[in-house]
Amino acid sequence: MKKGLVRLCSSHLLKQSKLFSTNNRLAFRFCSGKQEKHEFKAETKKLLDIVAKSIYTDKDVFLRELLSNASDALEKQRFLATQKGEQVPSDLEIKIELDEQKRTITIEDSGIGMTKQEMIDNLGTIARSGSKQFLEQVGTQMNDKIIGQFGVGFYSSFIVGDTVEVVSKSERSDKTYLWVSDGTGTFQISEAKDFFQGRGTKITIHLKPDQANFCKKTEVLKTIQRYSNFINYPIIVNGERQNIVSAIWVRNKNEITPEDYNKFYEYISNSKLAYKYKLHYSTDAPLSIKALLYIPQTHMEKYGMQMEDFDISLYCKKILIKKNCRELLPHFLRFVKGVVDCEDLPLNISREGYQDSALIAKLKSVVAKRVIKEIESEANRDPANYLSWYHDFQNFIKEGVAMDDEHRNQMTKLLRFQTNKSEDFISLDDYISKLPQGINNIYYYLAPTRQQALTSPYMEPFANSEIPVILTMNHMDEVVFKQINEYSSKKFVNIESDQAEVDKVAQKSSEEKDKNEEINVETNIPNDEITPFCLWLKNELNPIISQVQVSKRLKTSPAIIVSAISSGMRQVMHAMGQSTDDLKNLTLEINVHNPIIINLNKVRKSNRVIASLASKQILDGCLLASGLLRDPKEVVERQHKILNVLLTSEINTPIVEEVGAYREEAVKQKDSNTQKEDLETEIIIDSDGNPQVVKKNKK
C-alpha cells in the first residue's frame, strides 16, 4: 500500500480566502535591496484539522458535502456521455448504506469515478477542486449543474469519522483503487479488487463513537431532507428512495402542472391549505435567479398568537444554503413562502453563508420587487379576488408602506380604502380619479366605525361636497399616510387636524350656500359678544383649552376640538408608550349659529353655574368625538349634577328642554286663570358642590 502526505493547494486556498490577491499584495516600491521570493507554508496536519473541524457550523453538513460531490460525479458522467453522442446511462444514482453494528455510513455513486492519480491529486490535496478543474476544461455550459468549487467538502467527513475509506473506478482505467486516511495528515492508496463492475466512487466513514447517530436512518433522512432533497438523481437509503420531490423551480413553468405546484406548496409549507398566488420565474440579469414563491391565503398573525416566521429558503444549484432566510426579503413580506436559487452567490468556504453583503442586498431587492409586482398584477387582473386577500394581509402591506423606503411607492399601489361616498374599497389611483378638478389633496379621516365617521362633526364641510374623504378604522393608517406624504402630487390631509386645508373646503362650501340661502342674523351670537364669549369659554375650560375661535367648517354641531396632533397619531404614540399631553393647550372651534352655543352665551349672563356645567359638558362631547376622552369618571359626575337640576325642578321652574344640548327655555306659564304662587325658585350650590333648586318668597 502506497503512503502519501495530504498536500495543500496553497494558492487556491488563499485565493478563495481573499488573503492573497493583486489588490492586497504589498508593493515594495521603496526597497532598494534585492528581493527574495518565498511561498507560504502550512502545517498540513493542523490545516487538515482546521478544514475538517472548524469551518462548518453543524456536523451533519458532511453528508450534504458528500452528496453534492456524488451529484457532481453523476453530472460529469452524464455530460461526457452526451458529448460522445452516447445514451445517458440509466444507472445514475446515489446509494447510502447504514450499518449500526459496524458504526459505518457508506455513500456510493455511479458517476465518473477517479483514476489513481486523480485520487492522489483530488483527495490528497486540500483546496484542490476536481469539479472546478472539470469546469475549466468543458467551459461554462455546466456552471449551473456542478456544485463543488472549493475542494474542501470531502474533508468534512473527518468531523464525524475517525477513518475514511474511498474506493473509486474510472472508465478511463481498468483498475480500482482504495484510498484510506485517519485525517492526521497522511493517506494510503492501493489497488483494490471486486468493488466495482463498472465505474463510480464509494466512500465509507467509520464513525466516531459519539457520532454513531449518523448511522441511524432517521438522522440521515432528516439531513437529506434538510440539505439535499432536490438533487437531480435518486438518493437511495438502505434500498428505499428518499428524494421523491423534485426541484420544480428549475424547470420550465410550461412543463409543470397545477398538481405539481400544489404538491410542492404542501411540501414546503407543511399545510394542506391551498395557496392564493404563486410566482415562478427565472432571470439572468442582474443576477442568475430561479425562484418559486407562494403567497398564502391566510396567516397566523391575525389571531394575535405569533409573528409569521420567514419560510423562504436560499439554494445554490439546488443545494440548501440557508433555511428561513431573513436576508432574502424585507420583513413586511415575511408571509411569502418558497425557494430562491441563485447561482451567483459568493459562498464562503463552508457554503453556509455568503461573503458579498452588497450582492445579497441586491438579490433581496430584486426578489422583493418581483413579488410586489406579482401581487399588483393579480390585484389588477381580479380586483374582487385580491380584495378578499387584502382584508387579511393589509397590515403587512401597510407595514411595508410605513417602514420600507425602498419599496414604499410600489406598496402604496396595493392599498385599498373606503370613502364617504361608497363602501367599496378602492385604490388611491381610483380615489384621485374621483377628485374634482383643481383639488390637490387626498382627504382622510379616522374613526372607530364607518357610521361614526359619517356622523362626525369633522365631516360636516364635506357633507354636500363632491370631494371624497377616505375613511379608515385603523389608527396605524395615520402613520402610513404621514410616511407617504404625497401620492401623484397630491398631499395627504387629515380633516381632523389640518385646519387650514379643511377651512378652504369649508369656505368654498359656505360661498355656494350663501348664494342660495339668506342668513338670519337672529341665529347668530351678536358680533360684539363673540370675543367676550370666547374669552369666557377659554377661562372656563382652561388648561385643556388654550384658544377658542369661531369655526368656518361647522354646519350643525356646536363645537369641535382642533389639534396639530390627530387622534390617530395619539393612539399610535400611546401604543408606543410616548406621552402626548392630550388634555392641554387644545383649540376649541365653536359654531356661532348653533342654538346650544347661542343659548350658552345668554345663560352665562344670568346663571354662571349652569353655564359652566354646560360649557364643560360641550367640551366632553368634543373630546369624545376626537378620541381624547380617556377618563369618563368626571364626565359622569358632571352629568349627574345636570340631571339632578332637571329632575328636582318643578313645572313652573325654567328647565333645560333638551338635556343633551343644554338649551334653556322658559316653561310655558300655567293657565292664565290659575293663581300664581307667591314664590320664586333659585339654583344654589350646596356644600358638596351639587346644584340644588330652592324656593323662597318673592321680595
Side-chain angles (χ1 to χ4, degrees), residues 99-100 103-104 160 207-216 219:
D99 192 325
E100 293 190 40
R103 209 168 64 238
T104 62
V160 297
L207 297 168
K208 299 174 183 177
D210 60 343
Q211 304 300 324
N213 58 313
F214 286 110
C215 61
K216 294 181 179 180
E219 187 68 27

Side-chain angles (χ1 to χ4, degrees), residues 80 112-115 118 169-174:
L80 291 178
I112 192 172
M114 290 179 284
T115 64
E118 286 173 337
K169 169 71 168 62
S170 171
E171 287 184 341
R172 291 159 291 159
S173 172
D174 56 356

